[in-house]
Amino acid sequence: MVKKVEHFRNSQCPVACTLDFLGDHWSLLVIRELMMMGNHQYKDMLAMPEGISSNILSDRLKRLEESGIIASAYRPDNKRDKLYYLTEKGKELFFVIVEIVRWADKHLGDKIHIPAERRAFIDNPPEEVAKTVFARLEEWEKQNLPDMSLI
């Protein structure tokens, strides 16, 4: 088993320390599901095309929640189902994700596929796309987290 390195113990480098939170294989994909794909339930994230296992998904959700990047709440209509959502800290990763997608489009074009309906995320200025994404997230929060003002 590979020992997890916590970079902040040895270095104050911003890149190294960020890897402590986001440097594993799955965290950014979980954030993508919440931010871009509109998947807020465990079962929906479990079905992501990359094929995450249930134990890894559970671990990443827990770690992202502990780091304050995501939060969870029970569904208003079914208290047994948990909904996951991005905190403000998590939403601030939007521009990082857009730049990763743009980099991939430029340098990995023959290995990736961006559906036509998602192409706007690359072709339009990030600030315009951010308005659309954040409005969609805000609408989802209003519909699914009615007690948000109490949180």
Side-chain angles (χ1 to χ4, degrees):
M1 183 170 167
V2 177
K3 182 182 174 190
K4 179 179 176 1
V5 175
E6 291 181 326
H7 296 94
F8 72 88
R9 294 185 191 276
N10 303 320
S11 169
Q12 292 180 333
C13 171
V15 174
C17 291
T18 300
L19 288 174
D20 288 341
F21 295 99
L22 302 173
D24 64 80
H25 185 77
W26 296 104
S27 291
L28 285 176
L29 293 175
V30 170
I31 293 166
R32 175 205 64 190
E33 290 298 301
L34 294 167
M35 186 179 292
M36 305 292 194
M37 310 307 279
N39 292 328
H40 297 274
Q41 289 185 284
Y42 179 89
K43 66 178 179 152
D44 295 329
M45 287 184 262
L46 197 57
M48 72 172 93
E50 291 80 12
I52 191 169
S53 66
S54 60
N55 62 321
I56 297 293
L57 177 57
S58 295
D59 179 68
R60 292 316 178 272
L61 290 169
K62 180 181 174 187
R63 286 174 42 193
L64 289 168
E65 197 162 5
E66 287 172 351
S67 68
I69 293 170
I70 69 171
S72 63
Y74 289 100
R75 274 181 88 104
D77 60 339
N78 182 349
K79 298 294 184 194
R80 292 183 355 194
D81 285 342
K82 230 180 192 184
L83 297 172
Y84 295 91
Y85 59 95
L86 294 165
T87 62
E88 289 306 311
K89 183 177 176 179
K91 289 174 187 175
E92 289 178 14
L93 289 166
F94 171 80
F95 293 101
V96 173
I97 291 175
V98 167
E99 290 308 315
I100 290 172
V101 172
R102 287 176 176 215
W103 183 90
D105 189 45
K106 181 177 179 181
H107 297 287
L108 305 175
D110 59 333
K111 294 177 176 65
I112 65 169
H113 169 69
I114 300 170
E117 68 273 8
R118 301 268 182 217
R119 178 61 53 189
F121 288 101
I122 296 171
D123 294 340
N124 292 316
E127 295 78 17
E128 286 182 28
V129 179
K131 288 178 189 175
T132 303
V133 169
F134 294 149
R136 191 177 68 231
L137 291 172
E138 186 177 327
E139 184 60 32
W140 181 89
E141 289 169 359
K142 285 179 185 174
Q143 291 176 0
N144 294 282
L145 305 170
D147 296 330
M148 219 26 200
S149 60
L150 302 175
I151 297 175

